[in-house]
Amino acid sequence: MTLHAPYDPGNIFAQILRGTLPCIPVYEDDVALAFMDVFPQADGHVLVIPKQVEARTILDMPETHLGPYMQQVQTVARAVEKGLTPDGLVLTQFNGAPAGQTVFHLHVHIIPRWSDVPLGRHGDGKMATPDQLEPFASRIRAALA
Ligand code: 5GP
């Protein structure tokens, strides 16, 4: 995959947006969908993806969509902080396979950090069950309410 390959509508996040693959959502509006990462690098690891665009990376994102999308990334980051009270938050966003991107629909990772808990490796996590993810999702949803 190069940085300039065409958008593949069969990618996992496009399937989640169409509702043909499940996810554990925490937030959705016309601009963005946020849901729990199933291979979390930390408790409460959330992904925020833009809707209504076919953007593989930040380079493809129409300028008019970028601002509203990043505002919703901030909305969700604030809710993660309020709901889970971590000591820090890591936001990551990879562009292209050599940079670490594995799913080719633009997304930002929001990863809570606690001082005494090591960060899991990107792309190397253990698959979490819905029962494990839901308690964190519900605290983030409550913070958004
Ligand atoms: P990337 O490596 O492209 O920056 O991030 C893709 C992220 O999507 C990874 O953190 C990975 O754990 C997550 N992921 C991969 N497949 C699925 C899935 O089917 N559902 C969810 N919720 N997350 C996924």
Side-chain angles (χ1 to χ4, degrees), residues 12-13 16 21-24 35-41 45 47 92-96 99-105 107-109 111 121-125 127 133:
I12 290 169
F13 295 168
I16 287 174
L21 272 185
C23 72
I24 298 187
F35 53 93
M36 305 309 289
D37 194 307
V38 283
F39 297 98
Q41 290 179 251
H45 181 165
L47 301 167
T92 55
Q93 191 276 309
F94 304 100
N95 300 283
Q101 187 175 12
T102 58
V103 179
F104 292 88
H105 180 107
H107 51 281
V108 172
H109 299 254
I111 308 170
R121 283 166 56 93
H122 172 70
D124 198 25
M127 191 169 192
L133 297 174

Side-chain angles (χ1 to χ4, degrees), residues 1-7 50 53-62 66 69 93-97 99 101 103-107:
M1 288 286 202
T2 74
L3 274 174
H4 302 291
Y7 182 86
V53 289
E54 293 194 340
R56 297 174 76 249
T57 71
I58 200 158
L59 304 176
D60 304 332
M61 188 67 166
L66 185 60
Y69 167 60
Q93 191 276 309
F94 304 100
N95 300 283
Q101 187 175 12
V103 179
F104 292 88
H105 180 107
L106 174 63
H107 51 281

Side-chain angles (χ1 to χ4, degrees), residues 64-132:
T64 51
H65 289 250
L66 185 60
Y69 167 60
M70 291 308 294
Q71 282 182 4
Q72 300 312 52
V73 171
Q74 184 192 50
T75 297
V76 178
R78 284 176 167 161
V80 171
E81 195 279 330
K82 185 177 171 191
L84 305 182
T85 58
D87 301 315
L89 282 179
V90 176
L91 268 64
T92 55
Q93 191 276 309
F94 304 100
N95 300 283
Q101 187 175 12
T102 58
V103 179
F104 292 88
H105 180 107
L106 174 63
H107 51 281
V108 172
H109 299 254
I110 300 172
I111 308 170
R113 296 298 316 277
W114 287 268
S115 308
D116 52 349
V117 181
L119 180 66
R121 283 166 56 93
H122 172 70
D124 198 25
K126 196 173 159 209
M127 191 169 192
T129 64
D131 283 352
Q132 290 169 325

